[in-house]
């Protein structure tokens, strides 16, 4: 009897989740095309600092962007807007992943530069609210998480297209504790959600003269959702006859990325949310760690650019925040510039970062007093841009 009641209660929750996902499918079907930034009178760039070292590194990246876009700001084509309130203190006080006024302010922007935010988990001093990242990706429908990793001397040039709104994340904070002994989470794959990420990955490959797209799943075990993801990506791939498609299971891909004989063969990789989360941390380690990697969260109406690492609260509690490395946010700024149509400025910033981080290395950031400060590094990057 008790078993039936627990199962019935769980089924009721499942019913609500399914209904919400079916509504989401209808919203995706009705979605308009991508924003044409060139046609906008003003592109509004929201700057949202986040927690821990977030404000320090985000302000630094914004300072460099403001320097590069000074003429556009003067002419009114670009506007920077500071958005406060995405701090863990405010989110905890309001009991919301993104407080309502912050979400409203974000929705008035076109693109957002966002610092890392602390994600609470059970046992933390904070209420166990949903991740601000995950909520923002969902609320702004940022379905593509594009994460480039490059190590030129190793021949590594990978671009990951991580699906960003579905998979294990879609209803990640709405799993069900059926009884004290049984917990169930859900994985979601939709036709619309898969086709749009696959199309973006293949379009990127075609535009950037890449010859190969690899689809990464665990479709041999997670047959329904990963199976659908693989099949639909392959269908999209058939519309690009000049591009070779192959597919790999996530476990063997993880091994192949550290195989020097094979890893340089990968170019564009498209994969469900959780695998993309895990593998992009591994991939970033090749170019110097997550602190060096930026990411673009792209949707049709909004786009958000961020680091791939967390908020490093320990650096703040140890009084080292001013020594935080802004490179991840500066790499995110490269992606932002490119996304809104300033490719030449994006190339300049990328080139300056390569010079400052890997070639000239006049100043280095070490995260402590042994290196330069975040703002000294920002100055160095701007001086380098001016020399290009
Ligand atoms: C990332 C992060 C986030 C994620 C966390 C902070 C929720 O790890 O952007 O990769 O899991 O997506
Ligand atoms: Mg991650």
């Amino acid at each position: 009897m008790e078993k039936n009641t627990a199962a019935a209660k769980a089924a009721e929750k499942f019913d609500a989740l399914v209904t919400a996902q079916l509504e989401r499918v209808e919203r995706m079907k009705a979605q308009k095309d991508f924003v044409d930034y060139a046609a906008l009178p003003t592109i509004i760039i929201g700057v949202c600092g986040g927690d821990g070292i977030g404000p320090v590194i985000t302000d630094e990246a914004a300072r460099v962007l403001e320097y590069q876009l000074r003429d556009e700001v003067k002419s009114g084509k670009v506007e920077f807007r500071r958005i406060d309130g995405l701090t863990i203190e405010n989110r905890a006080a309001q009991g919301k992943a993104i407080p309502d006024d912050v979400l409203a302010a974000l929705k008035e922007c076109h693109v957002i530069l966002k610092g890392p935010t602390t994600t609470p988990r059970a046992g933390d001093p904070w209420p166990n609210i949903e991740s601000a990242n995950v909520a923002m990706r969902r609320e702004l429908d940022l379905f593509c998480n594009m994460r480039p990793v490059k190590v030129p001397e190793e021949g590594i040039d990978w671009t990951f297209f991580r699906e960003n709104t579905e998979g294990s994340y879609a209803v990640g904070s709405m799993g069900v504790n059926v009884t004290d002994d049984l917990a169930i989470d859900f994985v979601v794959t939709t036709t619309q959600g898969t086709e749009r990420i696959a199309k973006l990955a293949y379009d990127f490959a075609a535009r950037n003269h890449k010859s190969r797209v690899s689809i990464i799943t665990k479709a041999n075990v997670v047959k329904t959702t990963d199976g659908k993801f693989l099949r639909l990506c392959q269908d999209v791939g058939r519309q690009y006859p000049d591009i070779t498609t192959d597919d790999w299971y996530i476990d063997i891909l993880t091994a192949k990325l550290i195989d020097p004989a094979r890893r340089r063969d990968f170019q564009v990789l498209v994969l469900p949310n959780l695998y993309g989360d895990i593998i992009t941390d591994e991939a970033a380690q090749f170019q110097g760690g997550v602190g060096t990697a930026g990411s673009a969260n792209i949707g049709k109406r909004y786009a958000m650019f961020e680091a791939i690492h967390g908020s490093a609260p320990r650096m703040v509690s140890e009084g080292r925040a001013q020594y935080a490395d802004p490179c991840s946010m500066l790499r995110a700024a490269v992606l932002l510039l490119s996304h809104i149509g300033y490719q030449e400025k994006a190339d300049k910033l990328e080139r300056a970062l390569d010079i400052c981080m890997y070639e000239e290395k006049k100043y280095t950031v070490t995260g402590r007093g042994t290196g330069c400060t975040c703002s000294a590094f920002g100055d160095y990057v701007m001086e380098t841009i001016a020399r290009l």
Side-chain angles (χ1 to χ4, degrees), residues 160 214-218 226 229-230 246-251 253 266 269-272 275 279:
F160 294 88
S214 304
I215 306 164
I216 315 301
T217 64
K218 187 76 188 175
D226 276 11
F229 188 91
L230 172 59
D246 57 12
D247 81 274
W248 295 77
Y249 296 132
I250 182 66
D251 48 353
L253 175 82
F266 294 103
L269 302 95
V270 59
L271 63 184
Y275 310 141
I279 211 74

Side-chain angles (χ1 to χ4, degrees), residues 81-329:
R81 232 179 243 184
R82 257 59 187 186
I83 298 171
D84 296 323
L86 199 67
T87 57
I88 183 64
E89 292 80 8
N90 194 32
R91 288 182 284 134
Q94 305 216 18
K96 292 212 155 159
I98 307 177
D100 294 343
D101 56 334
V102 177
L103 185 59
L106 290 170
K107 285 188 169 172
E108 280 170 21
C109 302
H110 296 103
V111 293
I112 297 145
L113 185 69
K114 183 192 126 317
T117 47
T118 297
T119 302
R121 60 173 188 181
D124 278 0
W126 313 108
N128 197 8
I129 48 176
E130 190 189 21
S131 145
N133 278 32
V134 175
M136 197 181 296
R137 292 166 186 167
R138 188 185 56 241
E139 292 295 332
L140 305 182
D141 201 17
L142 307 173
F143 63 85
C144 164
N145 196 325
M146 181 218 193
R147 297 184 161 180
V149 168
K150 265 190 211 155
V151 189
E153 63 276 19
E154 303 266 346
I156 292 175
D157 186 357
W158 300 324
T159 312
F160 294 88
F161 283 80
R162 163 185 175 189
E163 200 294 318
N164 214 22
T165 46
E166 306 198 338
S168 326
Y169 281 63
V171 285
S173 52
M174 285 178 274
V176 179
N177 283 303
V178 179
T179 64
D180 283 349
D181 299 319
L182 174 64
I184 297 185
D185 270 319
F186 304 102
V187 180
V188 175
T189 297
T190 68
T191 303
Q192 291 71 20
T194 308
E195 284 176 350
R196 63 187 185 174
I197 182 76
K199 195 162 176 322
L200 222 53
Y202 277 94
D203 279 348
F204 171 88
R207 258 199 334 275
N208 291 279
H209 314 292
K210 308 280 184 193
S211 57
R212 184 166 169 216
V213 172
S214 304
I215 306 164
I216 315 301
T217 64
K218 187 76 188 175
N220 52 341
V221 175
V222 187
K223 292 184 190 292
T224 309
T225 46
D226 276 11
K228 183 177 176 72
F229 188 91
L230 172 59
R231 185 169 45 77
L232 290 175
C233 288
Q234 285 169 330
D235 287 349
V236 170
R238 275 188 272 280
Q239 296 161 25
Y240 298 78
D242 297 339
I243 297 172
T244 305
T245 295
D246 57 12
D247 81 274
W248 295 77
Y249 296 132
I250 182 66
D251 48 353
I252 189 63
L253 175 82
T254 308
K256 289 299 160 199
L257 286 192
I258 57 170
D259 178 351
R262 301 300 297 277
R263 63 183 175 213
R264 59 183 63 205
D265 296 341
F266 294 103
Q267 300 180 24
V268 176
L269 302 95
V270 59
L271 63 184
N273 213 336
L274 183 59
Y275 310 141
D277 174 46
I278 296 167
I279 211 74
T280 53
D281 272 17
E282 185 197 39
Q285 195 63 37
F286 288 100
Q287 67 172 28
V290 290
T292 62
S295 84
N297 295 259
I298 300 167
K300 294 199 171 167
R301 168 64 182 82
Y302 300 99
M304 181 266 279
F305 300 82
E306 62 179 349
I308 79 165
H309 58 77
S311 57
R314 196 176 310 147
M315 286 194 71
V316 180
S317 63
E318 291 174 3
R320 296 187 282 119
Q322 76 272 30
Y323 295 108
D325 188 345
C327 288
S328 56
M329 289 304 294

Side-chain angles (χ1 to χ4, degrees), residues 28-81:
M28 282 191 279
K29 284 186 191 166
Q31 208 168 38
K32 295 203 188 88
D33 206 0
F34 286 97
V35 169
D36 176 5
Y37 296 99
L40 291 175
T42 304
I43 304 170
I44 304 172
I45 303 178
V47 178
C48 207
D51 301 304
I53 60 168
V56 176
I57 59 176
T58 309
D59 284 350
E60 202 48 47
R63 199 162 72 91
V64 173
L65 278 178
E66 278 168 334
Y67 165 72
Q68 284 197 280
L69 292 167
R70 59 197 180 280
D71 292 340
E72 288 73 13
V73 169
K74 233 178 260 161
S75 74
K77 175 71 195 176
V78 170
E79 180 191 327
F80 284 86
R81 232 179 243 184

Side-chain angles (χ1 to χ4, degrees), residues 12-25 27:
E12 226 169 83
K13 289 188 183 161
F14 184 61
D15 194 295
L17 290 178
V18 171
T19 304
Q21 289 305 309
L22 286 171
E23 285 165 6
R24 194 171 70 82
V25 166
R27 284 200 299 279

